[in-house]
Amino acid sequence: MTAELVRGQNHTLPQTRLEIRVSAGTPVVAGATLGDEHGTVHGVEWIAHPGSPQLPGLEVSRQAAAEHRLAVDLDALAEAVHRVTVLLALPLQAGGPTRFGAVASPFVAVTGLDGTEIATFTLTGLDTESAVTALELYRRQGAWKVRAVGQGYAGGLAAMLADQGVAGAAELARSIQEAVARGLARSVAPPPPRAPEGGRVTHAAHPASPQGEGRPQATPQPGPLDEPSSSPTTPVASTPSAGGLIDYAHPRREATAPPPPPPTAPPAEPGRPATPVAGDATGWSMEERLYNQVWGMFEDLARATAAYRSAVEFAESRMDQELERTLSDPRSRIGGAGDRAREQARAKRDELTGRAREALDRDLAQLAAESAVVEPALPAAYAGWDNPVWHAYRVPMEIPMALRIGDLRLPESAGLSIPLLVRLPLERGMWIDSGRTASEAAALTGPDQLRRLAMESAVLHAARMLAVYPPNEFSVHVIDPAGSGAAALAPLVGAGVLASPPASGAGGVSSVLARLTRRVDLVQMAIRAGASDALPPDLDPAEQLLIVNDFPHGFDDRAVTQLRYLADEGPSVGVHLMMVADREDASAYGPVLDPLWRSLLRVTPVADDHLADPWVGHAWTYEPPATPPGSSVLAQVLERVAAARRTGHR
């Protein structure tokens, strides 16, 4: 049975030798890029296009045409290849169309070698775009899937290649168009159809006339998860945002392609989901493989939910159209005919949404099974506080590549949460919003309790950072001007893991800020001068975290300026900021503090759906970390951290 995909939906491929057939109604350029597990295209040798149509396991057409057949052998691809992205673009020819909105919606089908369709996708909703990412084949847990993408680019082929991280995208796009132009110049136009004797030639309709009626309409959504640049991920896996491409490359990892995961489970039978295995992703270590697997789960959940929402929207739209057609005839508005038409429209809507929900439930069940395997295998830096790994915790000898700061979930998958991982060292500070938000959890929590929960959340974040860094390589400072956070800070103070007692009053605020500002200045000057060994002996070389409670209480204008300076310049030299604040309390400063809030990663002390994912149109619900009720895991971990700091080893 053929799967008719909508934008964002995926489908398992039952075989590895395939054809990708393109029908566009007007000549288009067809090509494909190969990407690693992060989607990165490592140079022109990873791109098949009319000027270079063959790669191992992949062959595309040599010139622009209205019909294409791309040959793909997934088993013949290099081991480093995890993604095949099919690209379409309009050729730059005189008199030809310049945007996809002026031509028929392109139709793409993934077929077997015998022509049997496996999955199809109609690229609707295009307008000013002259290039489009049609679909992608990607490897997940040893099995290959196809995903409908439909992301258009008004900037043409160059913008599309640049989006995939191709160096010299403009020059490559120009060379591809030149190769296409040479192919068109060599081609011979077919003769006009010969009229039957005594008859007339019947000309075909203009190719722009069909509009893909009866298929779901959707609008491409640009950008990745806003917080964190997740994708991640997002990870969500990733895509461009207002700030440009997000680099997920670890600074200490090698640039070459990592090895594939070891064979830990037999391959899945065609058409059946693979057995979940922890670490079933590429990477140089189990830690890196688990990191990539977590963000792969995030991406799968985002895509599956996007497909479900798109299918439901299409079903509702189709029902509305059928009811409108029925009610437009006055004769069918009353009587049995009108009632039957309404019942049929609603039944069709229910059938479509039911099928979409079944597909979503299958994907959620697979992700839940994978989560049940992955969660117990996570290292301490990635694990929740309820994970048994903390009972065998030992202070590490090297910094992990990432840190868990909470969980993410969606309304359609309330029982499934994805760990929210951020890379280390931190590239930006954190803001724990202690103010009232629009979430249901915040509405049920009083202002004083929100402030207390926000400070307790800050303590948990700081404790985890102390726990995952080697001994004496991470220092925590606290500014608590009025002493209102004393109860929440008790675990850190009691364990003796703070660099100094929490600073209070205006004098304490200015002293801590002056000390950390001096550190940033000295390290920056040493780096610029190439004299990092000339730093004063009293300067702490460890990474620094400053927790600020009750801002702006106790802060004068100079202190506010220093705080902004630390937020902007600190992360690059190892000084990080964690604000526990209600933005309304600082409203007197007006827009002066807007850059400060924007520079920080905003999280909340209660569940809140403030993390946006514009690529698939989701608002993710963030769940803060928490220790199990009655558990002493936090005290035990901090005790071991303090002991390691005293002795200088584990």
PDB file of all heavy atoms in Angstrom, residues 385-406:
ATOM      1  N   TRP A 385      17.593  12.889  37.895  1.00  0.00           N
ATOM      2  CA  TRP A 385      17.999  12.672  39.279  1.00  0.00           C
ATOM      3  C   TRP A 385      17.440  11.372  39.848  1.00  0.00           C
ATOM      4  O   TRP A 385      17.916  10.896  40.890  1.00  0.00           O
ATOM      5  CB  TRP A 385      17.563  13.847  40.146  1.00  0.00           C
ATOM      6  CG  TRP A 385      18.386  15.082  39.933  1.00  0.00           C
ATOM      7  CD1 TRP A 385      18.019  16.219  39.294  1.00  0.00           C
ATOM      8  CD2 TRP A 385      19.739  15.301  40.379  1.00  0.00           C
ATOM      9  NE1 TRP A 385      19.039  17.147  39.296  1.00  0.00           N
ATOM     10  CE2 TRP A 385      20.110  16.603  39.958  1.00  0.00           C
ATOM     11  CE3 TRP A 385      20.658  14.539  41.081  1.00  0.00           C
ATOM     12  CZ2 TRP A 385      21.364  17.146  40.234  1.00  0.00           C
ATOM     13  CZ3 TRP A 385      21.914  15.076  41.345  1.00  0.00           C
ATOM     14  CH2 TRP A 385      22.256  16.361  40.931  1.00  0.00           C
ATOM     15  N   ASP A 386      16.448  10.773  39.203  1.00  0.00           N
ATOM     16  CA  ASP A 386      15.902   9.504  39.676  1.00  0.00           C
ATOM     17  C   ASP A 386      16.588   8.299  39.046  1.00  0.00           C
ATOM     18  O   ASP A 386      16.190   7.159  39.291  1.00  0.00           O
ATOM     19  CB  ASP A 386      14.402   9.442  39.404  1.00  0.00           C
ATOM     20  CG  ASP A 386      14.065   9.617  37.921  1.00  0.00           C
ATOM     21  OD1 ASP A 386      14.976   9.992  37.147  1.00  0.00           O
ATOM     22  OD2 ASP A 386      12.898   9.407  37.540  1.00  0.00           O
ATOM     23  N   ASN A 387      17.623   8.522  38.242  1.00  0.00           N
ATOM     24  CA  ASN A 387      18.321   7.438  37.578  1.00  0.00           C
ATOM     25  C   ASN A 387      19.265   6.744  38.565  1.00  0.00           C
ATOM     26  O   ASN A 387      19.994   7.407  39.307  1.00  0.00           O
ATOM     27  CB  ASN A 387      19.112   7.984  36.389  1.00  0.00           C
ATOM     28  CG  ASN A 387      19.598   6.896  35.456  1.00  0.00           C
ATOM     29  OD1 ASN A 387      20.224   5.938  35.872  1.00  0.00           O
ATOM     30  ND2 ASN A 387      19.306   7.054  34.173  1.00  0.00           N
ATOM     31  N   PRO A 388      19.282   5.411  38.592  1.00  0.00           N
ATOM     32  CA  PRO A 388      20.182   4.695  39.518  1.00  0.00           C
ATOM     33  C   PRO A 388      21.660   4.993  39.309  1.00  0.00           C
ATOM     34  O   PRO A 388      22.471   4.688  40.181  1.00  0.00           O
ATOM     35  CB  PRO A 388      19.871   3.219  39.232  1.00  0.00           C
ATOM     36  CG  PRO A 388      18.499   3.217  38.643  1.00  0.00           C
ATOM     37  CD  PRO A 388      18.392   4.495  37.873  1.00  0.00           C
ATOM     38  N   VAL A 389      22.033   5.598  38.169  1.00  0.00           N
ATOM     39  CA  VAL A 389      23.443   5.883  37.930  1.00  0.00           C
ATOM     40  C   VAL A 389      24.020   6.797  39.005  1.00  0.00           C
ATOM     41  O   VAL A 389      25.223   6.744  39.301  1.00  0.00           O
ATOM     42  CB  VAL A 389      23.624   6.506  36.522  1.00  0.00           C
ATOM     43  CG1 VAL A 389      23.063   7.926  36.482  1.00  0.00           C
ATOM     44  CG2 VAL A 389      25.092   6.526  36.112  1.00  0.00           C
ATOM     45  N   TRP A 390      23.172   7.615  39.632  1.00  0.00           N
ATOM     46  CA  TRP A 390      23.666   8.525  40.662  1.00  0.00           C
ATOM     47  C   TRP A 390      24.087   7.780  41.923  1.00  0.00           C
ATOM     48  O   TRP A 390      24.909   8.283  42.710  1.00  0.00           O
ATOM     49  CB  TRP A 390      22.607   9.570  41.001  1.00  0.00           C
ATOM     50  CG  TRP A 390      22.403  10.576  39.911  1.00  0.00           C
ATOM     51  CD1 TRP A 390      21.326  10.671  39.077  1.00  0.00           C
ATOM     52  CD2 TRP A 390      23.295  11.622  39.535  1.00  0.00           C
ATOM     53  NE1 TRP A 390      21.491  11.719  38.198  1.00  0.00           N
ATOM     54  CE2 TRP A 390      22.697  12.319  38.460  1.00  0.00           C
ATOM     55  CE3 TRP A 390      24.535  12.048  39.985  1.00  0.00           C
ATOM     56  CZ2 TRP A 390      23.294  13.410  37.844  1.00  0.00           C
ATOM     57  CZ3 TRP A 390      25.137  13.137  39.369  1.00  0.00           C
ATOM     58  CH2 TRP A 390      24.527  13.802  38.313  1.00  0.00           C
ATOM     59  N   HIS A 391      23.557   6.588  42.165  1.00  0.00           N
ATOM     60  CA  HIS A 391      23.939   5.838  43.362  1.00  0.00           C
ATOM     61  C   HIS A 391      25.374   5.322  43.260  1.00  0.00           C
ATOM     62  O   HIS A 391      26.009   5.058  44.291  1.00  0.00           O
ATOM     63  CB  HIS A 391      22.979   4.676  43.588  1.00  0.00           C
ATOM     64  CG  HIS A 391      21.568   5.110  43.832  1.00  0.00           C
ATOM     65  ND1 HIS A 391      21.199   5.900  44.893  1.00  0.00           N
ATOM     66  CD2 HIS A 391      20.422   4.898  43.132  1.00  0.00           C
ATOM     67  CE1 HIS A 391      19.902   6.141  44.856  1.00  0.00           C
ATOM     68  NE2 HIS A 391      19.400   5.550  43.790  1.00  0.00           N
ATOM     69  N   ALA A 392      25.867   5.162  42.046  1.00  0.00           N
ATOM     70  CA  ALA A 392      27.253   4.728  41.840  1.00  0.00           C
ATOM     71  C   ALA A 392      28.115   5.884  41.335  1.00  0.00           C
ATOM     72  O   ALA A 392      29.161   5.665  40.723  1.00  0.00           O
ATOM     73  CB  ALA A 392      27.295   3.569  40.848  1.00  0.00           C
ATOM     74  N   TYR A 393      27.686   7.104  41.619  1.00  0.00           N
ATOM     75  CA  TYR A 393      28.352   8.283  41.075  1.00  0.00           C
ATOM     76  C   TYR A 393      29.775   8.430  41.614  1.00  0.00           C
ATOM     77  O   TYR A 393      30.032   8.236  42.812  1.00  0.00           O
ATOM     78  CB  TYR A 393      27.537   9.535  41.420  1.00  0.00           C
ATOM     79  CG  TYR A 393      28.304  10.831  41.238  1.00  0.00           C
ATOM     80  CD1 TYR A 393      28.527  11.350  39.971  1.00  0.00           C
ATOM     81  CD2 TYR A 393      28.824  11.506  42.337  1.00  0.00           C
ATOM     82  CE1 TYR A 393      29.240  12.517  39.801  1.00  0.00           C
ATOM     83  CE2 TYR A 393      29.529  12.680  42.177  1.00  0.00           C
ATOM     84  CZ  TYR A 393      29.742  13.180  40.903  1.00  0.00           C
ATOM     85  OH  TYR A 393      30.454  14.343  40.743  1.00  0.00           O
ATOM     86  N   ARG A 394      30.669   8.782  40.709  1.00  0.00           N
ATOM     87  CA  ARG A 394      32.031   9.181  41.069  1.00  0.00           C
ATOM     88  C   ARG A 394      32.371  10.436  40.289  1.00  0.00           C
ATOM     89  O   ARG A 394      31.978  10.580  39.132  1.00  0.00           O
ATOM     90  CB  ARG A 394      33.035   8.068  40.745  1.00  0.00           C
ATOM     91  CG  ARG A 394      32.796   6.777  41.522  1.00  0.00           C
ATOM     92  CD  ARG A 394      33.866   5.755  41.209  1.00  0.00           C
ATOM     93  NE  ARG A 394      35.174   6.170  41.720  1.00  0.00           N
ATOM     94  CZ  ARG A 394      36.316   5.521  41.437  1.00  0.00           C
ATOM     95  NH1 ARG A 394      36.287   4.474  40.638  1.00  0.00           N
ATOM     96  NH2 ARG A 394      37.451   5.940  41.933  1.00  0.00           N
ATOM     97  N   VAL A 395      33.112  11.345  40.893  1.00  0.00           N
ATOM     98  CA  VAL A 395      33.464  12.602  40.227  1.00  0.00           C
ATOM     99  C   VAL A 395      34.314  12.283  39.001  1.00  0.00           C
ATOM    100  O   VAL A 395      35.303  11.537  39.090  1.00  0.00           O
ATOM    101  CB  VAL A 395      34.234  13.521  41.196  1.00  0.00           C
ATOM    102  CG1 VAL A 395      34.643  14.810  40.482  1.00  0.00           C
ATOM    103  CG2 VAL A 395      33.379  13.848  42.415  1.00  0.00           C
ATOM    104  N   PRO A 396      33.952  12.803  37.830  1.00  0.00           N
ATOM    105  CA  PRO A 396      34.657  12.431  36.590  1.00  0.00           C
ATOM    106  C   PRO A 396      36.032  13.098  36.497  1.00  0.00           C
ATOM    107  O   PRO A 396      36.333  14.060  37.209  1.00  0.00           O
ATOM    108  CB  PRO A 396      33.717  12.944  35.492  1.00  0.00           C
ATOM    109  CG  PRO A 396      33.020  14.102  36.125  1.00  0.00           C
ATOM    110  CD  PRO A 396      32.835  13.731  37.576  1.00  0.00           C
ATOM    111  N   MET A 397      36.838  12.587  35.600  1.00  0.00           N
ATOM    112  CA  MET A 397      38.170  13.149  35.356  1.00  0.00           C
ATOM    113  C   MET A 397      38.213  14.014  34.108  1.00  0.00           C
ATOM    114  O   MET A 397      39.247  14.622  33.813  1.00  0.00           O
ATOM    115  CB  MET A 397      39.204  12.020  35.239  1.00  0.00           C
ATOM    116  CG  MET A 397      39.362  11.216  36.523  1.00  0.00           C
ATOM    117  SD  MET A 397      39.783  12.248  37.953  1.00  0.00           S
ATOM    118  CE  MET A 397      41.429  12.789  37.502  1.00  0.00           C
ATOM    119  N   GLU A 398      37.113  14.065  33.338  1.00  0.00           N
ATOM    120  CA  GLU A 398      37.067  14.950  32.176  1.00  0.00           C
ATOM    121  C   GLU A 398      35.646  15.466  31.995  1.00  0.00           C
ATOM    122  O   GLU A 398      34.685  14.887  32.505  1.00  0.00           O
ATOM    123  CB  GLU A 398      37.546  14.254  30.913  1.00  0.00           C
ATOM    124  CG  GLU A 398      36.711  13.076  30.478  1.00  0.00           C
ATOM    125  CD  GLU A 398      37.210  12.459  29.182  1.00  0.00           C
ATOM    126  OE1 GLU A 398      38.401  12.646  28.858  1.00  0.00           O
ATOM    127  OE2 GLU A 398      36.399  11.817  28.495  1.00  0.00           O
ATOM    128  N   ILE A 399      35.540  16.584  31.271  1.00  0.00           N
ATOM    129  CA  ILE A 399      34.252  17.240  31.090  1.00  0.00           C
ATOM    130  C   ILE A 399      33.424  16.448  30.077  1.00  0.00           C
ATOM    131  O   ILE A 399      33.940  16.059  29.024  1.00  0.00           O
ATOM    132  CB  ILE A 399      34.454  18.685  30.589  1.00  0.00           C
ATOM    133  CG1 ILE A 399      35.330  19.459  31.568  1.00  0.00           C
ATOM    134  CG2 ILE A 399      33.119  19.397  30.417  1.00  0.00           C
ATOM    135  CD1 ILE A 399      35.748  20.825  31.047  1.00  0.00           C
ATOM    136  N   PRO A 400      32.140  16.209  30.356  1.00  0.00           N
ATOM    137  CA  PRO A 400      31.290  15.548  29.350  1.00  0.00           C
ATOM    138  C   PRO A 400      30.981  16.504  28.201  1.00  0.00           C
ATOM    139  O   PRO A 400      31.238  17.710  28.287  1.00  0.00           O
ATOM    140  CB  PRO A 400      30.035  15.189  30.141  1.00  0.00           C
ATOM    141  CG  PRO A 400      29.966  16.226  31.211  1.00  0.00           C
ATOM    142  CD  PRO A 400      31.386  16.529  31.585  1.00  0.00           C
ATOM    143  N   MET A 401      30.421  15.969  27.132  1.00  0.00           N
ATOM    144  CA  MET A 401      30.131  16.813  25.980  1.00  0.00           C
ATOM    145  C   MET A 401      28.817  17.565  26.125  1.00  0.00           C
ATOM    146  O   MET A 401      28.578  18.529  25.396  1.00  0.00           O
ATOM    147  CB  MET A 401      30.125  15.991  24.691  1.00  0.00           C
ATOM    148  CG  MET A 401      29.018  14.959  24.590  1.00  0.00           C
ATOM    149  SD  MET A 401      29.144  14.015  23.060  1.00  0.00           S
ATOM    150  CE  MET A 401      28.922  15.291  21.829  1.00  0.00           C
ATOM    151  N   ALA A 402      27.950  17.167  27.057  1.00  0.00           N
ATOM    152  CA  ALA A 402      26.655  17.828  27.189  1.00  0.00           C
ATOM    153  C   ALA A 402      26.134  17.649  28.609  1.00  0.00           C
ATOM    154  O   ALA A 402      26.681  16.874  29.404  1.00  0.00           O
ATOM    155  CB  ALA A 402      25.655  17.290  26.170  1.00  0.00           C
ATOM    156  N   LEU A 403      25.053  18.362  28.904  1.00  0.00           N
ATOM    157  CA  LEU A 403      24.472  18.399  30.240  1.00  0.00           C
ATOM    158  C   LEU A 403      22.958  18.429  30.106  1.00  0.00           C
ATOM    159  O   LEU A 403      22.413  19.130  29.257  1.00  0.00           O
ATOM    160  CB  LEU A 403      24.953  19.648  30.970  1.00  0.00           C
ATOM    161  CG  LEU A 403      24.469  19.863  32.397  1.00  0.00           C
ATOM    162  CD1 LEU A 403      25.300  19.026  33.353  1.00  0.00           C
ATOM    163  CD2 LEU A 403      24.584  21.339  32.766  1.00  0.00           C
ATOM    164  N   ARG A 404      22.277  17.661  30.948  1.00  0.00           N
ATOM    165  CA  ARG A 404      20.810  17.653  30.936  1.00  0.00           C
ATOM    166  C   ARG A 404      20.296  18.782  31.830  1.00  0.00           C
ATOM    167  O   ARG A 404      20.665  18.869  32.998  1.00  0.00           O
ATOM    168  CB  ARG A 404      20.296  16.307  31.434  1.00  0.00           C
ATOM    169  CG  ARG A 404      18.774  16.143  31.368  1.00  0.00           C
ATOM    170  CD  ARG A 404      18.413  14.720  31.708  1.00  0.00           C
ATOM    171  NE  ARG A 404      17.001  14.396  31.540  1.00  0.00           N
ATOM    172  CZ  ARG A 404      16.533  13.155  31.455  1.00  0.00           C
ATOM    173  NH1 ARG A 404      17.377  12.133  31.506  1.00  0.00           N
ATOM    174  NH2 ARG A 404      15.246  12.925  31.305  1.00  0.00           N
ATOM    175  N   ILE A 405      19.410  19.625  31.290  1.00  0.00           N
ATOM    176  CA  ILE A 405      18.857  20.721  32.077  1.00  0.00           C
ATOM    177  C   ILE A 405      17.342  20.611  32.226  1.00  0.00           C
ATOM    178  O   ILE A 405      16.700  21.546  32.690  1.00  0.00           O
ATOM    179  CB  ILE A 405      19.224  22.090  31.467  1.00  0.00           C
ATOM    180  CG1 ILE A 405      18.625  22.235  30.073  1.00  0.00           C
ATOM    181  CG2 ILE A 405      20.724  22.287  31.437  1.00  0.00           C
ATOM    182  CD1 ILE A 405      18.751  23.643  29.507  1.00  0.00           C
ATOM    183  N   GLY A 406      16.768  19.488  31.838  1.00  0.00           N
ATOM    184  CA  GLY A 406      15.328  19.298  31.953  1.00  0.00           C
ATOM    185  C   GLY A 406      14.835  18.317  30.917  1.00  0.00           C
ATOM    186  O   GLY A 406      15.619  17.554  30.329  1.00  0.00           O
TER     187      GLY A 406
END
